[in-house]
Amino acid sequence: MRYWLMKTEPSVVGIDHVLAMKNQTVDWWGVRNYQARNFMRDQMQVGDKVFFYHSSCPEPGIIGLAEVVKKAYPDRTQFDPSSPYSDPKATAENPRWVNVDVRVVKKTRLIGLDELRAHPELANMRVLQRGNRLSITPVDPAEWKFITEKLL
DNA sequence: GCCAACGTTGGC
DNA sequence: GCCAACGTTGGC
């Protein structure tokens, strides 16, 4: 089992939106970065644990715990010509983009970037690195343990 | 809105 | 395969 951090913009799909969905589960559509896609396609398994992270918003940070509940399958938005995520090079036979399904386990207090940065134990987290833009990043088991046991 | 960082595109 | 131009991300 692996641990991940997945970013989402709360103005598009925030944790409260997902909590209001059926089974508190969302298909993680819209990833258009190959490295992030490959994490979903090649490494994510049902049961993997996820930090739910709000980005591009007034208070960026971890806001919940979630888990992977369905393995990667083609992202529906790539086939939708009206979607900004449409990809004309993607076909049903050769989909280019995939997503997993993610279920929110619980909403937590907000652990903001400043707070995360304040702990030396978390200094190597990808999301804290300068210039980091990757929307899905692996989380070290020790980092998961520290955050869930010491900060929450 | 700014801008640093970095990914993608496309001409050569 | 190089790399300049361009586009996007995301904190501030």
Side-chain angles (χ1 to χ4, degrees):
Chain A
M1 203 221 353
R2 298 177 193 265
Y3 301 95
W4 306 94
L5 182 144
M6 299 176 79
K7 295 181 189 172
T8 182
E9 299 187 21
S11 62
V12 184
V13 181
I15 195 161
D16 292 329
H17 295 109
V18 181
L19 285 171
M21 290 179 189
K22 187 178 179 230
N23 299 325
Q24 296 77 53
T25 298
V26 65
D27 53 323
W28 207 267
W29 53 269
V31 170
R32 293 296 180 270
N33 168 281
Y34 290 107
Q35 206 177 341
R37 179 204 66 181
N38 293 347
F39 283 142
M40 286 199 284
R41 187 190 63 188
D42 303 334
Q43 296 192 34
M44 281 194 179
Q45 300 291 334
V46 171
D48 282 8
K49 307 290 190 189
V50 175
F51 285 130
F52 196 104
Y53 180 96
H54 279 174
S55 69
S56 291
C57 60
E59 295 185 301
I62 292 170
I63 190 67
L65 304 181
E67 64 183 3
V68 176
V69 291
K70 187 175 179 181
K71 287 188 64 172
Y73 59 95
D75 177 335
R76 60 188 162 83
T77 61
Q78 70 194 304
F79 307 122
D80 177 359
S82 70
S83 167
Y85 292 93
S86 150
D87 185 341
K89 292 179 184 162
T91 63
E93 295 74 26
N94 279 302
R96 181 180 291 198
W97 306 108
V98 299
N99 60 249
V100 297
D101 283 356
V102 172
R103 184 177 73 89
V104 172
V105 175
K106 67 184 289 193
K107 184 176 180 179
T108 64
R109 72 181 184 88
L110 178 87
I111 309 176
L113 276 180
D114 291 351
E115 182 174 355
L116 292 170
R117 288 205 171 96
H119 297 285
E121 293 89 343
L122 305 177
N124 292 326
M125 280 190 83
R126 281 289 285 279
V127 76
L128 302 182
Q129 304 309 307
R130 177 186 173 85
N132 165 71
R133 296 182 352 190
L134 201 54
S135 65
I136 298 176
T137 51
V139 170
D140 189 273
E143 293 164 348
W144 179 275
K145 186 172 161 62
F146 181 82
I147 291 170
T148 54
E149 293 183 7
K150 300 282 203 281
L151 301 188
L152 291 178

